[in-house]
Amino acid sequence: MNWYEKLNQYFPIEEMKSKEHLEVLLKEKGDIYHKDEGKHHVMMYVELDDFVFIDYIFVSKDARGEGLGNKLIDKLKKKRKPIILEVEPVNYEDTDSEKRLKFYQREGFKHATSIGYERRSLATNEVNKMEILYWAPNNESEEQVYDAMKQTYKLIHTFKDKELYGDSYQPVDDVLTINTDSKNDNNDLFKGLS
């Protein structure tokens, strides 16, 4: 099974970029968009000067519990930049989503409670709500995470979208919002998981 098939089997259709989109990113944005692939994992990520964004991380069921996910995250943590990723909201009926959140909690990720993220899928035409998690080695603020997410959305998520999908994603300001008045309780998403 190739790297794209692994990702495509694991991630819901509304979260997946097309294979063509990922290949174009690797080719045309190869200075910032990277693929880390091994027998039991695939990690696609963006690295800019001031942050890292994990687009996809997959560890095969055969290798779970062996510390591979931790090793992949540690590799990125050594860069000493904030690490940001999107996750689907926890579904307590889906043990994978709960396990995924527990993993990120153990890795020191926080929930960006002031950031809202709702994007219409070009594959399903449905609006999907996502949560933003981040690891902040230098106590970066949620405003900084928000700015990084906006940059990622424009540089990566919408890159050549009209050309690749025949349609465009919504403008970034329709997708990402920030509530600077909200109290930042970074453990909201992790409550009940401890």
Side-chain angles (χ1 to χ4, degrees):
M1 186 179 334
N2 74 32
W3 63 271
Y4 187 78
E5 289 168 340
K6 290 174 185 175
L7 294 176
N8 204 33
Q9 284 187 356
Y10 185 71
F11 289 93
I13 188 171
E14 61 271 10
E15 292 178 30
M16 279 301 297
K17 291 176 179 64
S18 70
K19 185 175 185 185
E20 185 182 14
H21 189 171
L22 293 173
E23 288 173 339
V24 167
L25 285 168
L26 288 166
K27 183 178 178 186
E28 296 184 29
K29 298 262 185 192
D31 56 328
I32 62 168
Y33 197 82
H34 309 282
K35 175 175 62 167
D36 181 331
E37 176 184 12
K39 181 178 178 183
H40 295 292
H41 78 278
V42 179
M43 181 169 65
M44 311 293 283
Y45 67 97
V46 179
E47 183 178 1
L48 294 174
D49 291 341
D50 52 353
F51 70 93
V52 172
F53 173 79
I54 300 175
D55 204 4
Y56 300 100
I57 186 168
F58 162 82
V59 174
S60 76
K61 288 190 187 298
D62 299 339
R64 291 198 190 141
E66 296 177 7
L68 181 55
N70 173 266
K71 287 177 187 162
L72 293 169
I73 296 295
D74 276 353
K75 181 178 175 180
L76 297 179
K77 284 181 175 179
K78 286 179 180 158
K79 298 175 183 293
R80 302 303 301 162
K81 300 174 185 181
I83 302 171
I84 304 165
L85 55 98
E86 306 162 4
V87 295
E88 58 206 71
V90 68
N91 173 352
Y92 292 101
E93 294 171 12
D94 174 10
T95 56
D96 268 357
S97 75
E98 198 172 341
K99 285 178 187 173
R100 193 169 29 254
L101 283 174
K102 283 183 180 182
F103 167 76
Y104 288 119
Q105 182 181 29
R106 283 192 309 271
E107 291 295 326
F109 281 75
K110 298 175 183 177
H111 175 218
T113 56
S114 66
I115 301 173
Y117 185 24
E118 292 187 11
R119 179 176 76 170
R120 180 179 55 87
S121 166
L122 294 180
T124 65
N125 208 32
E126 293 178 15
V127 174
N128 301 294
K129 183 176 181 176
M130 299 293 280
E131 303 287 345
I132 305 299
L133 301 183
Y134 67 101
W135 178 76
N138 306 302
N139 294 317
E140 288 82 2
S141 69
E142 289 197 10
E143 287 82 7
Q144 289 170 291
V145 171
Y146 173 73
D147 290 340
M149 278 302 305
K150 284 181 76 168
Q151 194 174 357
T152 299
Y153 185 82
K154 290 189 262 185
L155 276 175
I156 303 300
H157 292 344
T158 63
F159 184 66
K160 295 193 172 185
D161 53 356
K162 182 79 171 166
E163 180 182 323
L164 293 165
Y165 300 102
D167 198 358
S168 296
Y169 283 107
Q170 303 129 280
V172 68
D173 292 328
D174 291 353
V175 173
L176 283 156
T177 56
I178 189 162
N179 179 357
T180 53
D181 298 331
S182 76
K183 178 184 152 222
N184 287 339
D185 180 359
N186 287 314
N187 295 315
D188 277 3
L189 193 62
F190 298 120
K191 283 185 179 150
L193 295 178
S194 307

